[in-house]
Amino acid sequence: MTAVADDGLPLVGTLTLPVGPGPHPAVLLLHGSGRLDRDSNTARLRMELGPPLAKSLANAGIATLRYDRRGVGATGGDW
């Protein structure tokens, strides 16, 4: 999924939806501070926390959105 920031920069993220018709409650997953991607990974340490958390919430009927910050992961720009 790609959204566009006010300054025109495409922000890349992942929307995880529960199975079945909506509407569904939803949460925005915000990662910790620093150069972390949408799955809480850094260049030197891969945590991969996003996918299992999003899957667990989807199994509970909750949609999630997680995204890469500017200059991290698949989102361009300067950190």
Side-chain angles (χ1 to χ4, degrees):
M1 172 185 164
T2 302
V4 178
D6 287 344
D7 64 359
L9 179 73
L11 302 172
V12 182
T14 301
L15 176 64
T16 303
L17 297 172
V19 174
H24 303 287
V27 295
L28 173 63
L29 298 179
L30 300 173
H31 28 57
S33 62
R35 293 183 63 119
L36 299 170
D37 70 10
R38 73 189 94 168
D39 295 326
S40 297
N41 299 316
T42 68
R44 294 189 295 173
L45 179 62
R46 300 208 48 91
M47 301 284 286
E48 294 296 331
L49 298 176
L53 179 56
K55 182 178 179 183
S56 293
L57 288 168
N59 288 341
I62 301 169
T64 60
L65 175 64
R66 56 193 201 278
Y67 67 96
D68 292 333
R69 293 181 177 152
R70 293 170 180 268
V72 179
T75 295
D78 294 322
W79 166 249

